[in-house]
Amino acid sequence: MKKFLVLAAMAVLPACSNPTPENYFDTAVLNTNMINDFGSDALTKMLIAQNVKYNGTLPNGPNAATKMIDGKVQYIEKELVKIKDLKETDETRTMLKTSVALFEYVLPVYKNEYKALAKMSDEGGTQEDVLSLGKEIDKKYGERFDSLFDVLTTEGKKYAAAHDIKVNWGN
């Protein structure tokens, strides 16, 4: 069963030349909310749902699943730049390196496998075929994602506790 991390933290503060602990946390850990459905049936089912017709029309328009994945790719690319721009310290090194590794791990999967899955859904692939391909992606990449995600969560919890950052970890 996939673990979903639901985080709630203080408002994201704008980046500055001297990032606050909240900036580090928000950028390296909180921003994983956008990818916490990676390697799960939930993501595959969301792609399928993008192409469910209501009253004979697609409410999200044509190619909605592909657009959803493209949005995730753009988000990941933008966040990777932000994470890499943060100055590493002894305290943040593992958290930042793990966050970069996590985002770099999922990026090519979103660009390739998930994009193909979304295209299959957009082009009328059967729900069974889409779910089957989604399960193959999950099986191939889910374990490594979970491992990186768990390390990042552990590091994030330590960092948040050390800096009194109030977080609802969804437990």
Side-chain angles (χ1 to χ4, degrees), residues 7-10 22 25-26 160-161 163-169:
L7 300 174
M10 307 290 279
E22 288 84 1
F25 180 83
D26 292 350
H163 294 279
D164 199 30
I165 300 170
K166 303 297 183 221
V167 182
N168 175 356
W169 292 97

Side-chain angles (χ1 to χ4, degrees), residues 11-39:
V12 177
L13 301 172
C16 56
S17 59
N18 288 322
T20 65
E22 288 84 1
N23 291 129
Y24 275 97
F25 180 83
D26 292 350
T27 303
V29 181
L30 184 63
N31 284 335
T32 63
N33 276 341
M34 182 67 149
I35 61 170
N36 69 3
D37 57 1
F38 180 91

